[in-house]
Amino acid sequence: LELARGLENIVGIKIASGNPGQTAEIKGENPGFLVYSGDDALNMRHFKAGADGAISVVSHWAAKPIKFMHELAQLPIMKDEGCLRMIDNMLMPSYKFASVYPNPIPAKAMMRHLFGPEVGYCESPMVIGQDQEEELDYVARELNKDLRQYFEAHFNEPLVD
């Protein structure tokens, strides 16, 4: 933040410290400074603490639920804490999937499932064995199917437009 005070082209920060309280502290002291969650599994807590959004791996395949969660958390009077928690719980398998290997390995697997084999695979040094890639592809397919069904059943709209 000291660096940002001296440079007008630094307008925000990504918080990936595992501490959503840091988001609240920064927003409290610097209301105009943008703060983004960098912890997918803690997005809800960062959003409730005032984060302006997320820099998210999971948003590659679940942008709409993350956007809904952010919008709900920003309401002046959060009346539906249950809905916020429901979205966060729905995303838990995605958070776990995104962290099973270093990024971008899981994201590439999900993108292959969504957009086809032309997405390709990671290159060295971000390489895992064929068995692990096949397992990731299977998990990505099942995860996306479950996420799509859950989201569409609860929110009555498609997961992806």
Side-chain angles (χ1 to χ4, degrees):
L1 291 176
E2 291 300 318
L3 182 61
R5 287 188 182 94
L7 300 170
E8 53 183 72
N9 63 338
I10 297 178
V11 298
I13 189 169
K14 171 186 165 185
I15 301 292
S17 64
N19 180 5
Q22 193 175 14
T23 295
E25 183 180 326
I26 292 170
K27 290 302 283 186
E29 294 173 5
N30 309 277
F33 197 66
L34 300 173
V35 178
Y36 294 93
S37 169
D39 295 312
D40 272 320
L42 296 177
N43 279 343
M44 181 185 75
R45 288 165 193 83
H46 281 283
F47 294 162
K48 287 173 63 175
D52 295 287
I55 297 173
S56 164
V57 173
V58 172
S59 70
H60 285 79
W61 60 87
K64 197 179 280 189
I66 291 172
K67 178 180 181 249
F68 279 14
M69 189 166 52
H70 180 258
E71 289 171 349
L72 281 171
Q74 301 306 305
L75 293 173
I77 299 174
M78 182 52 203
K79 293 182 180 176
D80 199 349
E81 180 83 18
C83 187
L84 192 64
R85 289 187 188 285
M86 181 180 72
I87 296 170
D88 194 47
N89 288 336
M90 173 183 67
L91 292 170
M92 286 294 174
S94 286
Y95 302 152
K96 183 177 178 185
F97 177 77
S99 65
V100 72
Y101 288 105
N103 190 38
I105 295 171
K108 291 278 265 188
M110 185 60 80
M111 296 300 100
R112 279 193 306 278
H113 169 68
L114 294 173
F115 301 111
E118 60 275 5
V119 169
Y121 294 85
C122 292
E123 296 181 14
S124 183
M126 302 298 281
V127 178
I128 58 176
Q130 183 176 350
D131 289 347
Q132 289 87 3
E133 288 286 6
E134 289 173 3
E135 176 68 18
L136 269 182
D137 286 342
Y138 172 78
V139 173
R141 186 172 43 255
E142 293 302 308
L143 175 62
N144 186 262
K145 181 180 73 173
D146 292 347
L147 184 61
R148 183 178 304 273
Q149 288 173 348
Y150 190 94
F151 186 80
E152 291 173 3
H154 286 84
F155 294 96
N156 202 26
E157 66 175 88
L159 179 63
V160 178
D161 291 326

